[in-house]
Amino acid sequence: MTDRRSTTPTEGWRVMTSDAGRLWATRERPFSPKAEEVGAARTVDGDDLAELCRVIAEQESLAALASAP
């Protein structure tokens, strides 16, 4: 895999491209245990950058909901 840093819209995530061209991203900082309990995944994948960004946004949204009072 090739490590490829991006500033937007994947800020805080390390983006990698597999040899087959699939994109993967790993969050640079762990989610809280509460966020992980509700299903926030620290590593995600997508067929293209748009899909990867959508999946990252979903994970960040799950984490935000878990942190809400």
Side-chain angles (χ1 to χ4, degrees):
M1 287 192 169
T2 302
D3 186 359
R4 174 174 70 155
R5 290 213 176 237
S6 175
T7 55
T8 57
T10 58
E11 186 71 33
W13 291 74
R14 180 170 294 185
V15 176
M16 297 155 281
T17 305
S18 73
D19 293 340
R22 188 152 180 87
L23 296 174
W24 292 81
T26 298
R27 195 169 194 264
E28 292 176 346
R29 298 182 67 185
F31 284 116
S32 70
K34 196 173 192 179
E36 290 180 357
E37 286 176 17
V38 298
R42 190 172 173 195
T43 301
V44 296
D45 65 329
D47 290 326
D48 55 35
L49 187 57
E51 181 181 1
L52 185 66
C53 290
R54 182 186 56 74
V55 174
I56 288 171
E58 288 173 359
Q59 302 315 302
E60 293 292 345
S61 180
L62 277 173
L65 288 173
S67 300

